[in-house]
Amino acid sequence: MKLLFLNGVNLNMTGRREKSVYGTQTLEDINNEIAAFCKERGAKCEFYQSNLEGELCTKIQESDADGIILNAGAFTHYSYALRDAIASVPTPVIEVHMSNVHAREEFRHKSVISEVCRGTISGFGKNSYILAAESFLL
Ligand code: DQA
């Protein structure tokens, strides 16, 4: 089992931006914990972050992973390109958010990618990634 953890726009700022919302750990810290979790479960993992919508689409198109765990950041709320990239591949994608997007501003309540994702996990901080990974490993 190979899992791709894909992070979109501004997720590289995790640990440095809006700490009360996203915590103080960097994306690298979080990825290290996820890597340890995957290793314990005998799963391979790959990590990729980009602020560029097209790069995320290409990564989805070219991935050889069995499952993709995607935090698209703000692209979640308006990127039809990302939605179509997810729909264009057979690989199951789980949408994740560290914050509870439904308890925040109105514009975050809408996701244009949910419809083409296997499911959504939102509001559990870094554990949103772990819970999504767990669902592939059950
Ligand atoms: C986020 C929520 C999005 O609304 C926001 O734009 C992000 C991060 C989250 O992980 O909670 O950048 O996806």
Side-chain angles (χ1 to χ4, degrees), residues 7-126:
N7 280 286
V9 64
N10 293 318
L11 271 303
N12 58 311
M13 295 295 288
T14 304
R16 286 183 283 156
R17 70 161 175 163
E18 298 177 87
K19 293 180 188 176
S20 60
V21 180
Y22 302 115
T24 54
Q25 282 187 293
T26 65
L27 188 59
E28 197 187 349
D29 294 335
I30 293 170
N31 287 347
N32 286 338
E33 288 189 23
I34 295 168
F37 171 84
C38 288
K39 198 174 172 196
E40 273 171 26
R41 303 299 177 102
K44 294 196 182 96
C45 57
E46 181 188 351
F47 300 95
Y48 185 80
Q49 188 276 329
S50 178
N51 289 327
L52 304 180
E53 187 181 24
E55 282 188 0
L56 296 166
C57 293
T58 302
K59 195 71 187 169
I60 290 167
Q61 291 166 10
E62 294 180 351
S63 174
D64 63 352
D66 301 297
I68 298 175
I69 290 140
L70 170 65
N71 185 348
F75 289 146
T76 304
H77 312 300
Y78 65 89
S79 175
Y80 296 112
L82 213 44
R83 186 233 180 262
D84 285 351
I86 296 166
S88 75
V89 297
T91 318
V93 177
I94 298 184
E95 172 187 355
V96 302
H97 302 286
M98 287 190 277
S99 63
N100 177 356
V101 286
H102 297 287
R104 299 181 65 196
E105 302 92 327
E106 184 96 35
F107 76 89
R108 296 186 205 277
H109 300 181
K110 169 82 181 162
S111 165
V112 300
I113 64 170
S114 291
E115 194 186 352
V116 291
C117 288
R118 176 176 278 187
T120 302
I121 297 175
S122 174
F124 298 94
K126 65 185 175 188

